[in-house]
Amino acid sequence: TPRGDLPGSEFSAESWVVRKLVRRDSEYAKLDVTLAAKLTHAFRDAVLRVASNPAPEAITGHSPDGGLSKSPHVAYVCLPFVGSQYADGHVLGMAAILPQRVAESGQRREILQIIERVTSLHLGPLGVWDVKPDWEGENQDTLKPWRWSRPAKTWMTATPIVLHRHPRNHGVDYYSEEMEAVVAEACVQAGLPEPEAVVLSPNSMAPGVPPTRQFVGQPRSPYKRPLAHAVVRFAREVRGPIIIGAGRYMGYGLCVPRSER
């Protein structure tokens, strides 16, 4: 199938700003993917600081009246080394991913230029980290959009999905058929086809990804929502990036394609 004919999500496979995360002043040699929420919020905050005032809705995720935007907007994600034999889950870089509708609009250049002005992240007790536009060395595949966007039928979570509702029956665990249906709904909400199978677990099938209980914090929300790792299988190949669930604009629910070999 020509790549352009493949179904995909609301996010662009190509319009990304990718930055390598480099320690400048920190006690830590590297940062773990379990810090995804902290990293993405710091990245978004840094983008808002360099944006015009008022910043474009595509960047803030808020409409001019202050409410949540009803349109797809930029997703802020961390890019962890996961999904391969020696993966250890540490974060190699950050990415801001444009929604397809913005990538195809006259706003694309303006939005990319704003994001490209960010040069560092201030992470409180985790120190100061630079975000650099050039990178070299091994594992650099992690920093290529293709790593996260290449077509595949089966996708595995690199960061847990924030489920947009709790099970109806209290006491029912989060990994039930009911919650698998919630993830299938989340796929459709993100512009994807309905998957043919969803399997939820507290553990990811992607090597190097820690279990849900180790993830620190959540995308800002008035209440705590359940987290789940998932394997999602579609009837045909789907192009990424696949980022699903209630935390998809802030780095949760990022999936990595599974090799079909």
Side-chain angles (χ1 to χ4, degrees):
T1 311
R3 207 167 137 223
D5 293 348
L6 290 176
S9 75
E10 65 192 347
F11 299 110
S12 168
E14 287 99 16
S15 290
W16 293 38
V17 174
V18 179
R19 294 291 183 262
K20 183 177 182 179
L21 195 62
V22 180
R23 178 172 68 159
R24 187 206 298 176
D25 179 16
S26 174
E27 295 171 35
Y28 301 90
K30 52 191 181 182
L31 300 177
D32 191 78
V33 67
T34 54
L35 298 165
K38 190 164 187 65
L39 291 170
T40 56
H41 281 108
F43 190 21
R44 179 181 177 274
D45 290 347
V47 170
L48 294 182
R49 276 196 296 274
V50 298
S52 54
N53 191 6
E57 186 174 331
I59 277 177
T60 64
H62 288 89
S63 54
D65 64 8
L68 289 176
S69 176
K70 293 188 168 49
S71 304
H73 42 279
V74 170
Y76 300 92
V77 301
C78 62
L79 301 176
F81 177 36
V82 299
S84 58
Q85 188 180 356
Y86 301 108
D88 64 1
H90 83 277
V91 176
L92 283 159
M94 304 298 298
I97 303 172
L98 270 57
Q100 199 67 43
R101 67 166 191 87
V102 174
E104 292 167 358
S105 76
Q107 253 197 318
R108 176 181 178 275
R109 190 66 243 150
E110 177 202 357
I111 301 297
L112 291 175
Q113 283 173 343
I114 291 169
I115 298 163
E116 285 165 357
R117 288 182 203 141
V118 173
T119 57
S120 61
L121 302 183
H122 293 255
L123 299 171
L126 299 174
V128 180
W129 294 71
D130 290 326
V131 281
K132 299 203 165 181
D134 50 340
W135 57 81
E136 289 176 7
E138 55 200 296
N139 302 338
Q140 65 181 1
D141 276 3
T142 298
L143 298 173
K144 293 175 182 167
W146 181 245
R147 167 77 181 103
W148 305 92
S149 300
R150 69 172 178 77
K153 283 185 182 176
T154 305
W155 295 77
M156 309 171 289
T157 42
T159 55
I161 297 166
V162 180
L163 299 167
H164 58 269
R165 69 165 191 258
H166 287 265
R168 286 193 191 87
N169 303 324
H170 288 293
V172 173
D173 87 334
Y174 293 142
Y175 313 114
S176 62
E177 282 184 24
E178 181 194 349
M179 299 317 278
E180 287 166 0
V182 168
V183 170
E185 272 174 41
C187 290
V188 174
Q189 282 175 358
L192 294 156
E194 187 164 346
E196 65 175 15
V198 174
V199 178
L200 299 187
S201 166
N203 302 302
S204 175
M205 290 293 290
V209 179
T212 54
R213 62 184 156 73
Q214 291 183 23
F215 279 76
V216 179
Q218 284 193 28
R220 287 171 194 149
S221 162
Y223 52 91
K224 199 164 171 59
R225 288 171 157 157
L227 297 180
H229 278 303
V231 177
V232 180
R233 191 178 75 238
F234 297 94
R236 57 179 292 204
E237 283 193 336
V238 171
R239 71 163 174 78
I242 290 187
I243 323 171
I244 50 178
R248 68 187 179 278
Y249 295 110
M250 295 305 299
Y252 270 43
L254 174 66
C255 298
V256 63
R258 190 168 81 185
S259 173
E260 307 293 339
R261 289 192 295 280

